[in-house]
Amino acid sequence: MRLRTGLLGIGKIARDQHIPAIAGNSRFELVACASRNARVDDVANFKDLESMLAALPDLHCVSICTPPQAHFDAALMALRAGCHVMLEKPPTATTRQIALLAEEAARSGRTLFQTWHSRFAAGVDSAREWLRGRKLVSGKIVWKEDVHFWHPGQRWIWEPGGFGVFDPGINALSLLTELLPDEVAVERARLEFPENQQAPIAATLALRTTAGVNIVAEFDFRQKGEQSWDIELATTSGALKLSRGGAGLELDGRIETLDEGLAGEYPRLYRRFASLCEAGKSEVDWRPFQLVADAFLIGERRIVAPHEI
Ligand code: NAP
């Protein structure tokens, strides 16, 4: 039986990735969408999740593609209606909310797949394999992009719970926590807030692993020219560079993987979602989110010039 699926929040990621990935996976059937302002052809359309769930009591799954501020209420409602839930990153607006969702999924016996799409990038499995058994010496993350190009008109990103530069930056932390054999914590942080916005435009984090290795992470939304989504890890026996958000991998300067961008990530995400639903399991890992929350807690704040959206 195919998993009858509803999509919530029809914006950039829903159209670019979720709709094609669902269409390409025979385990799923997209039957409905819920969005306040958008419609999708050839499926039932609703203004909100509540009316979608009321009209379609036989829905199996809800995939949530709204900004993080709207994730908690929607995921809770879908789980309580008996649906499996796939949640876009960042998981929720507060750390307590994702813990509560995990508890609700366990209680209701439904799958909660709290996704980190970058972990499904082409270079990640080989990078994890290569690192296993090697001794890390240092690490550097450079995650710098032009917010005007990648997030045009996305007001929510600058509002409380919108994460600012951590909306893309949390992807780097999702990779780091996936790759490192040791755990990592934030030691110091500096956040730059435009004086007219509620979320940071840039941040620098000093992280340290439980083995005492220092990792520096730089995030910036003001990047012009070449964009960077790179992680470099030096070990006592060679160096690794993950580039293009995990789609490119170099081991000791040798190119290992070809770039497929986001294209391969979402088909893999939906394959994982199908197996989790079939196995009756959830997948939730909020460590990357804790790192961001900790940066907000201990970070020095600097106010910078106003930023136009
Ligand atoms: P987006 O283009 O702004 O689309 C999100 C849609 O959600 C909006 O078009 C809006 O549609 C709906 N929505 C519901 N509640 C909303 C609210 N309170 N504020 C604003 N919109 C609301 O955003 P997106 O780029 O698709 O990103 C959505 C989520 O996917 C984010 O968590 C983001 O981090 C994640 N993501 C994005 C990308 C990417 O490349 N863009 C990649 C990976 C992950 P209606 O107005 O019709 O309701």
Side-chain angles (χ1 to χ4, degrees):
M1 189 181 51
R2 296 174 87 190
L3 294 162
R4 290 167 52 78
T5 300
L7 207 52
L8 175 68
I10 306 303
K12 182 164 170 41
I13 198 63
R15 288 197 192 279
D16 289 358
Q17 298 297 334
H18 288 259
I19 293 173
I22 293 170
N25 187 323
S26 60
R27 294 293 297 113
F28 293 94
E29 180 187 6
L30 183 64
V31 294
C33 290
S35 213
R36 297 163 308 181
N37 301 295
R39 289 179 55 82
V40 171
D41 292 342
D42 304 325
V43 300
N45 284 276
F46 300 91
K47 285 284 173 207
D48 54 44
L49 177 64
E50 197 171 8
S51 29
M52 179 164 82
L53 292 170
L56 302 171
D58 56 349
L59 210 56
H60 298 114
C61 306
V62 174
S63 186
I64 299 177
C65 304
T66 63
Q69 294 99 327
H71 284 186
F72 178 66
D73 287 351
L76 197 63
M77 186 185 289
L79 287 168
R80 285 182 175 167
C83 293
H84 304 300
V85 169
M86 176 159 155
L87 200 54
E88 258 298 352
K89 49 61 63 175
T92 39
T94 72
T95 55
R96 185 71 186 130
Q97 288 173 334
I98 186 58
L100 291 175
L101 290 180
E103 284 173 19
E104 183 63 34
R107 201 168 23 242
S108 63
R110 290 294 178 271
T111 292
L112 173 63
F113 181 27
Q114 179 250 294
T115 64
W116 297 112
H117 66 86
S118 295
R119 289 183 176 178
F120 291 78
V124 176
D125 288 345
S126 310
R128 196 197 306 100
E129 270 308 300
W130 185 88
L131 265 179
R132 190 171 293 155
R134 284 184 159 82
K135 193 169 163 4
L136 189 68
V137 178
S138 65
K140 183 170 186 185
I141 293 172
V142 181
W143 223 258
K144 298 185 177 181
E145 65 182 48
D146 180 352
V147 67
H148 288 125
F149 184 82
W150 296 103
H151 305 275
Q154 292 186 344
R155 205 23 282 143
W156 57 265
I157 226 167
W158 297 107
E159 290 170 353
F163 288 74
V165 75
F166 288 114
D167 176 70
I170 202 167
N171 290 331
L173 300 172
S174 79
L175 289 173
L176 191 72
T177 45
E178 171 73 8
L179 293 176
L180 294 185
D182 296 307
E183 294 299 327
V184 66
V186 179
E187 290 267 298
R188 291 184 312 284
R190 201 184 65 231
L191 310 181
E192 296 183 31
F193 283 74
E195 69 181 35
N196 59 339
Q197 306 300 347
Q198 303 295 315
I201 194 166
T204 306
L205 270 52
L207 302 144
R208 187 177 300 166
T209 71
T210 47
V213 176
N214 293 319
I215 297 169
V216 176
E218 294 172 3
F219 307 96
D220 207 318
F221 254 163
R222 296 163 299 194
Q223 182 78 353
K224 301 293 173 203
E226 197 181 337
Q227 310 283 291
S228 309
W229 300 282
D230 300 335
I231 299 179
E232 292 184 52
L233 298 172
T235 75
T236 51
S237 47
L240 168 157
K241 179 173 180 179
L242 260 185
S243 55
R244 298 185 294 280
L249 175 64
E250 283 174 41
L251 299 174
D252 295 324
R254 205 178 56 246
I255 295 173
E256 296 285 321
T257 359
L258 292 175
D259 191 359
E260 56 174 8
L262 278 178
E265 296 178 17
Y266 281 79
R268 288 186 201 111
L269 277 177
Y270 274 92
R271 285 202 288 277
R272 174 71 65 87
F273 188 34
S275 9
L276 288 170
C277 293
E278 278 154 22
K281 290 188 176 156
S282 287
E283 192 170 294
V284 178
D285 176 7
W286 58 71
R287 291 173 301 161
F289 188 16
Q290 285 176 316
L291 295 174
V292 171
D294 288 349
F296 273 85
L297 274 172
I298 65 164
E300 285 170 33
R301 290 173 185 234
R302 203 163 77 83
I303 304 297
V304 297
H307 188 76
E308 297 304 323
I309 308 296

